[in-house]
Amino acid sequence: MSADAVYLVAGVALLVGVVLPALLDRLSLSVPMVLIGVGMLVGLLSLPVGTNLDPIDLRPTIEHVAELAVLVALMGVGLALDRPLSLRRRGSWRAWGATWRLLLVAMPLCIGAVFVLGHWVLGLAPAAALLLGAVLAPTDPVLAGDVQVEGPDIETTPEELDEEDEVRFSLTSEAGLNDGLAFPFVYAAIFLVTLGSPLEWGLQWLAWDLVGRVVIGVGVGWLVGRVLAALAFRAPAKSLRTAETGEPLLALAAILGAYGAAEVAQGYGFLAVFTCAMTLRSLERDSEYHRHMHEVVERLERLMVLIILLFIGIELTRGVLADLDWRGVLAGLSLILVIRPLAAMLSLRFGVRRGEDLCGLDRRERAVVAFFGVRGIGSVYYLAYALGQAEFPDARWLWSTVAFTIVASVVIHGVSVNPAMRWVERHRGPQAEVTST
């Protein structure tokens, strides 16, 4: 394939990405599945001479492209969530109960289970096993669009504004927050391979990487969000009130500003972007401006997803799975089909007394939330980042295993998402039984 033909292929792929959502609405297929398939077909063609698709060689490029895709997705998720979260209202925190359980119980359980499986069963080095767990633990805000909330609701009055679908809210809010919260465990894997025993760095990691940088990321995101919200809606000069001028690119300024400020302050930029989006959304909730910003972010996200999924598909037929063995298959499928569902089900029951409402989720909804832990672009970013910070054993095996797990997640969750959501909706209603069994 000549270099000029690349433009034709890219144009056709973009057209496919544009029309697919409407075509696949009622089929047991997802857009990511089809895009990866298109990428595989492209990979079978002869690529321009000198094209290098080795993930080891392209690691810096992969890291930054995946990083931008996750940032854009996090801004979109933060703007889309209607349920408020206020530090001053206890009821607000309780309304996010399922999210906290998934973050604080399910995700560490997933990391620990993958570490035990990788080190004690599959024979990986401790650092590689911990990195695999940290990389694959967070659910993905990029590829989980089929199970997430659709966008900001501006028709409902601010007093009544909330999420009606607990399944979609739980999965969306989890994906928005756990990408940032996985970072401490990625750092723990880096420290394990560079500094040795946790006795040398464990306390500093606990105080700074696990707690301090999270607080800084959230704080910076809140501050940037407050400043931008005040500018957009309440600036003294009308020309500065972007909500009135209708300029939606403020969302992109928020992404870059919040992420850059948090990283400069040594906080977690992913958390800052999501917090910034939530803070922006908290002011003038019924403003049409939130929908305009979300639409711009959503379109940029779709473009980023198109590029990355095509690349993953091309890589599948160009050797990224060359180092995959039974251990990688076992690790990936165990996480998707066993570890994540069990950990999430346990987390949703954690701290709940018998007979108490389980975060508004009945048993069917809990099962769907537990099962749909979609893996995706965030895992690519974390792996590329970690491999740029230290030399891990089995680096190529890690690339193969993560790629396999992402594709397996795309296929398994893509095939089952429509039937599962229809199953939940058929049994949902005013008479739906909420039980703790």
Side-chain angles (χ1 to χ4, degrees):
M1 182 170 59
S2 67
D4 292 334
V6 172
Y7 289 99
L8 175 60
V9 172
V12 172
L14 182 57
L15 177 62
V16 169
V18 169
V19 302
L20 273 181
L23 293 176
L24 301 179
D25 187 48
R26 294 187 175 276
L27 300 178
S28 293
L29 291 173
S30 66
V31 174
M33 290 172 59
V34 177
L35 289 177
I36 288 177
V38 172
M40 293 175 66
L41 293 176
V42 173
L44 294 174
L45 303 175
S46 60
L47 299 179
V49 177
T51 301
N52 182 5
L53 297 177
D54 190 324
I56 299 295
D57 296 336
L58 295 179
R59 186 207 59 78
T61 302
I62 293 173
E63 175 187 339
H64 293 304
V65 172
E67 179 181 35
L68 182 58
V70 174
L71 290 173
V72 171
L74 290 174
M75 176 58 67
V77 166
L79 290 173
L81 287 173
D82 292 326
R83 181 171 299 176
L85 179 61
S86 173
L87 295 175
R88 301 175 183 177
R89 290 164 41 202
R90 184 179 178 184
S92 171
W93 284 82
R94 294 187 63 182
W96 286 59
T99 306
W100 307 136
R101 289 179 172 88
L102 291 170
L103 292 173
L104 302 179
V105 180
M107 191 171 73
L109 283 177
C110 286
I111 294 174
V114 172
F115 172 78
V116 170
L117 175 66
H119 180 53
W120 297 105
V121 178
L122 305 182
L124 298 177
L130 180 57
L131 179 62
L132 184 65
V135 162
L136 293 178
T139 57
D140 195 65
V142 184
L143 300 186
D146 290 335
V147 292
Q148 291 182 353
V149 298
E150 294 183 357
D153 180 2
I154 63 171
E155 281 77 23
T156 307
T157 62
E159 292 75 16
E160 299 174 349
L161 202 57
D162 199 350
E163 301 291 351
E164 296 180 356
D165 193 324
E166 290 291 336
V167 171
R168 292 185 183 277
F169 170 77
S170 299
L171 291 169
T172 304
S173 55
E174 178 198 12
L177 284 165
N178 67 8
D179 262 310
L181 294 177
F183 238 129
F185 301 96
V186 173
Y187 277 118
I190 294 171
F191 295 156
L192 192 60
V193 78
T194 57
L195 302 179
S197 171
L199 296 176
E200 302 292 330
W201 49 266
L203 289 178
Q204 181 178 348
W205 173 83
L206 183 65
W208 175 240
D209 296 283
L210 186 61
V211 178
R213 301 184 73 173
V214 169
V215 173
I216 292 174
V218 172
V220 169
W222 176 84
L223 180 60
V224 173
R226 291 292 296 180
V227 171
L228 293 179
L231 176 69
F233 294 101
R234 298 173 182 173
K238 182 178 180 179
S239 59
L240 295 178
R241 294 197 291 270
T242 55
E244 295 186 20
T245 62
E247 178 50 76
L249 292 181
L250 179 73
L252 302 185
I255 294 173
L256 301 177
Y259 185 71
E263 291 294 318
V264 169
Q266 299 298 304
Y268 292 131
F270 285 173
L271 281 176
V273 171
F274 179 74
T275 305
C276 176
M278 286 283 296
T279 306
L280 267 172
R281 183 76 173 91
S282 68
L283 196 63
E284 305 291 343
R285 285 185 172 273
D286 58 344
S287 172
E288 184 79 20
Y289 189 52
H290 297 301
R291 181 170 291 173
H292 294 329
M293 289 192 293
H294 183 265
E295 289 173 351
V296 168
V297 170
E298 186 178 37
R299 281 164 173 74
L300 180 57
E301 179 185 346
R302 288 172 64 182
L303 179 60
M304 299 294 298
V305 168
L306 171 71
I307 294 171
I308 293 173
L309 290 182
L310 286 176
F311 178 79
I312 291 176
I314 293 171
E315 285 280 11
L316 291 178
T317 49
R318 307 295 289 196
V320 74
L321 298 182
D323 293 276
L324 182 69
D325 55 17
W326 68 269
R327 299 177 304 161
V329 173
L330 178 61
L333 294 181
S334 295
L335 174 68
I336 295 170
L337 300 176
V338 181
I339 294 174
R340 156 68 189 200
L342 287 180
M345 288 295 287
L346 288 173
S347 72
L348 292 174
R349 296 181 59 86
F350 181 78
V352 177
R353 295 184 294 272
R354 184 173 179 80
E356 186 178 346
D357 180 12
L358 290 178
C359 311
L361 298 166
D362 63 28
R363 66 176 183 271
R364 296 180 184 86
E365 292 171 328
R366 296 199 303 273
V368 171
V369 170
F371 179 71
F372 281 99
V374 180
R375 267 59 199 174
I377 310 305
S379 297
V380 173
Y381 168 73
Y382 281 125
L383 181 59
Y385 176 84
L387 296 181
Q389 300 296 311
E391 292 187 10
F392 281 84
D394 302 316
R396 290 191 177 276
W397 180 87
L398 287 169
W399 274 116
S400 294
T401 300
V402 169
F404 167 78
T405 305
I406 292 171
V407 174
S409 175
V410 166
V411 173
I412 293 172
H413 294 130
V415 168
S416 56
V417 60
N418 285 338
M421 298 307 290
R422 286 196 293 265
W423 175 62
V424 168
E425 290 167 1
R426 280 199 306 270
H427 295 87
R428 180 184 291 146
Q431 303 300 320
E433 177 185 6
V434 178
T435 176
S436 61
T437 59

